[in-house]
């Protein structure tokens, strides 16, 4: 059996070679997400905004020096050679328009930086600070930074194309920094964001998985002190991981930092099943039972609880398919497959290999005695004072649960990455000068060619002015109205009095046509105005504001346009909008999934334990720890986001392990005629150590995720670890206390004296 199961699991693992990294941040949004649909429609009209942005700062403190301007020029020219580059925008190649009589001349703002004199650099700075399409967009408002923005059209059918493009950008950065000492170049942009997801995932997989293996190795050696038991367990979890990852490969999963957490989750949960088998075998062998009989009896006794806990855990991870984000689907499905494999291997492969290998356990060790001593103290307190214990635990949980409404939803993608990652350092730098995210306002006047109507342009200009007035939220605004006002001034001999919207649609159309014909290839306005001139987009570069502040800003913008927009249609999209609502959508979807999961667990436990009352009772120790964990999170962190939405489904499926094993041993004792108190003591003695060990491993394994460089995984791991720890505390205190109190109440009422007979009144 052992060779056959090993070969079968390795065959599943073959699917892992099909796994590929997702090269696009858009994978985090489901195809039915209305914000995502609106964003895709906008990109179909104006082009995908995939870009690489080089943010330049200098030791001189100002970019307005000949060497820095030369560096911007050289980087601009070299950026055209980046893979799939279709457009490059910078200070030096800004298409500056100048009018002479009725002629319009358009050329690079700085065609030759070596020819700039100090006086010309001063004039260049003055011009840049007057021009709204440069100031705050291509150059920082304080003159301390500049950006070279490269638009890339990345194909979707080329593997690893995003990371390849970013690597080329880094090579170009290295060259520029060698040529211009004292210049610092940071790489941001949508393409860099997508590559950062891949880098975060690779970093986690190369550190977290070995760390979990090391944790399991150390715990098993300390607790079991058996190389055979340790090696068998490690082989089991390795095979279970092969199955989970292989299923992901065969099903076409695209890897993200979230789905890459699946091996760590499988490793952590799979060892819990093995611990229950190994602890039972060890206990029976200590009592003098022969090894094979110990294996048979332990497997028989633990078959039902291990099966129940595995089923509920699998169901818990499968509910992640209700998430609005596909990477959580991938995490749930891969983890569920691995956990199901771990269950099957625990009741087949593990007993078989332990029967085959020379398994021996040394005499009782200190670690076991210490854990049993601690459990004995808890056992005595609970049995002697169940009422006080229940009240204390219920009060503490109630206090924590009351804190849940104080949590704030805040999901800024820039904070998904740890400060150790280069990309996070780059976006922190970029945000100080240019903002780090965009909101796109698409305005549609409703007919072809209407974007040049004076009334429409006036509305556009008024909205642009309002947006610029939101200085707490908006860093810069790019609008067609600014282009039209500049062209109107240019074609009136650059008279500042004509820096206004053209008086007629005919003039505006002619200005726009002449301007576009004067632009070089790749620098036209197709990313601003659609081909029919029916709609245009205003881009608001946003400051690093919270999700709540973003929503408030969007509501105010929609309200302003509803009142002042002249009846034109407004569509709001962009990456800032996508991430502003993704957490809420996930929380709503997974909250419903968590409720369904709790009901499913109730049904599973009621049928498996053949007791409706026990099934109802089990809801309390399963739901309370999760709610209390959220309350503790509110106290310690106070903010929930994208990742925390998934914790409910994951944790409830995991923490049911403690309840099932405690209750299964309790019911086993009751069936043989033991009293409630004796049955509770039996549960502590037979299941307590295994519950303690599995809790330590589960909590430590998930806590290791907290060291992830990707915030979503760190939050998921830490909150699940808190829930697992609280679950053990509740199952060792509240659950047995309730069993004892219910029995005492039942006994009191069943032995109460009969009521006196009624007396007939005269």
């Amino acid at each position: 059996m052992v060779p056959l199961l090993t070969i079968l699991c390795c065959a599943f693992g073959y699917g892992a070679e099909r796994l590929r990294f997702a090269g696009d941040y858009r994978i985090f949004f489901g195809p039915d997400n209305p914000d995502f649909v609106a964003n895709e429609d906008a990109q179909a009209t104006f082009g995908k905004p995939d870009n690489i942005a080089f943010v330049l700062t200098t030791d001189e403190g100002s970019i307005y020096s000949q060497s820095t301007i030369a560096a911007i020029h050289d980087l601009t020219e070299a950026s055209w050679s980046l893979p799939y580059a279709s457009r490059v925008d910078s200070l030096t190649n800004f298409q500056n328009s100048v009018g002479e009589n009725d002629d319009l001349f358009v050329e690079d703002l700085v065609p030759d930086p070596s020819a700039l004199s100090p006086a010309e650099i001063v004039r260049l700075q003055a011009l840049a600070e007057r021009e709204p399409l440069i100031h705050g967009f291509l150059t920082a408002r304080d003159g301390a930074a500049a950006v070279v923005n490269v638009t890339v059209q990345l194909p979707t059918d080329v593997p690893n194309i995003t990371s390849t493009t970013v690597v080329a950008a880094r090579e170009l950065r290295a060259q520029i920094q060698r040529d211009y000492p004292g210049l610092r170049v940071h790489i941001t942009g949508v393409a860099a964001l997508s590559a950062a997801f891949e880098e975060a995932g690779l970093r986690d997989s190369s550190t977290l998985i070995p760390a979990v293996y090391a944790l399991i190795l150390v715990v098993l050696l300390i607790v079991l002190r058996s190389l055979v038991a340790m090696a068998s367990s490690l082989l089991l979890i390795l095979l279970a991981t092969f199955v989970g990852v292989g299923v992901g490969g065969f099903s076409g999963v695209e890897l993200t930092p979230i789905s890459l957490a699946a091996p760590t989750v499988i490793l952590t949960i799979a060892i819990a099943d093995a611990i229950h088998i190994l602890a039972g075998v060890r206990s029976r062998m200590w009592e003098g039972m022969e090894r094979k009989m110990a294996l048979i009896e332990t497997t028989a006794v633990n078959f039902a609880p291990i099966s129940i806990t595995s089923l509920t855990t699998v169901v818990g991870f499968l509910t992640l398919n209700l998430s609005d984000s596909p990477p959580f689907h991938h995490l749930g499905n891969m983890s569920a497959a691995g956990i199901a494999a771990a269950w099957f291997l625990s009741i087949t492969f593990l007993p078989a290999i332990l029967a085959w290998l020379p398994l021996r356990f040394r005499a009782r060790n200190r670690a076991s005695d210490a854990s049993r001593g601690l459990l004995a103290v808890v056992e005595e307190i609970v049995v002697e004072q169940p009422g006080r214990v229940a009240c204390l635990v219920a009060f503490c949980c109630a206090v924590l649960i009351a804190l849940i409404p104080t949590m704030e939803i805040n999901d800024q993608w820039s904070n998904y990455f740890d400060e150790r990652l280069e990309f996070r350092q780059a976006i922190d730098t970029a945000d100080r000068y240019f903002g780090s995210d965009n909101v796109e306002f698409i305005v549609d006047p409703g007919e072809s060619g209407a974007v040049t109507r004076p009334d429409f342009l006036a509305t556009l200009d008024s909205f642009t002015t309002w947006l610029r007035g939101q200085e707490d939220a908006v860093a810069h605004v790019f609008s067609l109205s600014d282009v039209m006002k500049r062209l109107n001034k240019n074609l009136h001999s650059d008279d500042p009095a004509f820096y206004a919207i053209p008086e007629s649609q005919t003039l505006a159309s002619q200005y726009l046509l002449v301007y576009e014909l004067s632009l070089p290839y790749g620098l036209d306005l197709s990313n601003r105005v659609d081909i029919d001139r029916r709609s245009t987009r205003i881009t608001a570069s946003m400051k690093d504001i919270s999700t709540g502040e973003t929503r408030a800003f969007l509501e105010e913008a929609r309200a302003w346009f509803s009142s002042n927009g002249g009846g034109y249609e407004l569509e709001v999209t962009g990456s800032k909008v996508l991430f502003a609502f993704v957490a809420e959508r996930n929380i709503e979807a997974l909250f419903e999934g968590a409720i369904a999961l709790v009901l499913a667990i109730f049904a599973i436990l009621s049928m498996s334990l053949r007791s409706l009352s026990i099934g109802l009772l089990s809801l309390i120790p399963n739901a309370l720890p999760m709610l209390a964990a959220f309350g503790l999170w509110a106290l310690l962190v106070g903010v929930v986001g994208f990742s925390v939405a998934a914790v409910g489904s994951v944790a409830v499926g995991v923490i049911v392990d403690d309840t099932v094993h405690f209750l299964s041993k309790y019911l086993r004792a009751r069936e043989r005629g033991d009293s409630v108190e004796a049955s509770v003591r039996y549960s502590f003695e037979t299941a307590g150590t295994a519950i303690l060990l599995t809790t330590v491993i589960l909590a430590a394994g998930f806590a290791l995720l907290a060291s992830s460089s990707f915030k979503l995984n760190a939050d998921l791991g830490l909150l699940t670890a808190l829930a697992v720890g609280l679950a053990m505390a509740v199952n060792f205190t509240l659950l047995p206390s309730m069993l004892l109190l219910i029995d005492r109440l039942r006994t009191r009422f069943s032995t109460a004296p009969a009521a006196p007979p009624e007396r007939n009144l005269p």
Side-chain angles (χ1 to χ4, degrees), residues 443-456 505 509 529-536 567-569:
V443 189
D444 188 347
E447 60 183 56
S448 297
V451 296
T452 55
R453 290 207 317 245
D455 60 325
F456 173 75
Q505 183 174 6
S509 298
V529 181
D530 73 345
I531 193 170
D532 293 329
R533 294 188 178 180
R534 176 191 173 98
S535 62
T536 183
Y568 297 125
E569 181 181 341

Side-chain angles (χ1 to χ4, degrees), residues 53 55 145 147 186-189 424-436:
V55 178
V147 65
H186 306 271
I187 299 176
T188 68
R424 172 61 185 274
Q425 299 167 11
I427 58 177
D428 285 347
T429 300
D431 183 69
R432 287 201 301 271
Y433 301 112
F434 305 104
S436 58

Side-chain angles (χ1 to χ4, degrees), residues 146-306:
V147 65
V148 176
N149 188 66
V150 186
T151 302
V152 290
Q153 300 294 332
L154 300 178
T156 57
D157 57 347
V158 180
N160 302 320
I161 185 60
T162 304
S163 57
T164 301
T165 304
V166 172
V167 167
R170 289 172 179 166
E171 292 172 353
L172 178 55
R173 173 185 62 183
Q175 174 188 330
I176 291 295
Q177 290 186 151
R178 283 195 303 269
D179 294 343
Y180 294 93
L183 188 71
R184 292 180 297 279
V185 182
H186 306 271
I187 299 176
T188 68
V190 172
L193 167 64
S194 297
F197 282 124
E198 178 178 338
E199 292 171 1
L202 286 173
R203 179 169 182 158
D204 282 356
S205 62
S206 64
T207 56
L208 293 179
I209 294 177
V212 174
Y213 269 109
L215 168 70
I216 292 171
L217 178 68
V218 170
V219 171
L220 291 178
L221 278 176
I222 291 175
V223 174
L224 300 176
R225 301 181 69 183
S226 168
L227 289 176
V228 170
M230 180 203 70
S232 302
S233 302
L234 288 179
L235 186 56
L236 181 150
I237 62 178
L238 184 63
L239 293 176
T241 304
F242 282 173
V243 173
V245 175
V247 166
F250 283 123
S251 60
V253 164
E254 290 188 274
L255 292 178
T256 61
I258 293 175
S259 58
L260 268 173
T264 304
V265 171
I266 295 170
L267 290 172
T268 302
I269 296 177
I271 196 61
D273 293 342
I275 284 290
H276 285 287
I277 297 292
L278 291 169
V281 172
R282 181 186 64 174
S283 177
R284 286 166 174 78
M285 290 179 68
W286 276 347
E287 294 171 357
M289 187 177 291
E290 191 266 335
R291 180 181 57 173
K292 288 190 177 180
M293 286 303 300
L295 284 168
I296 293 172
E297 185 172 325
T298 300
T299 304
V301 168
N302 285 281
F303 175 79
I306 287 178

Side-chain angles (χ1 to χ4, degrees), residues 269 307-322 332-333 335-337 339-340 590 593-604 646 648-654 656:
I269 296 177
S307 299
I308 295 169
T309 58
S310 297
L311 177 60
T312 55
T313 305
V314 166
V315 172
F317 276 96
L318 289 178
T319 59
L320 291 181
N321 284 281
L322 298 174
N333 294 334
S335 298
I339 293 164
L590 290 173
I595 293 176
L597 175 60
V598 169
L599 295 176
I601 289 175
F602 161 68
I604 292 170
S649 298
V650 172
V652 171
V654 172
V656 73

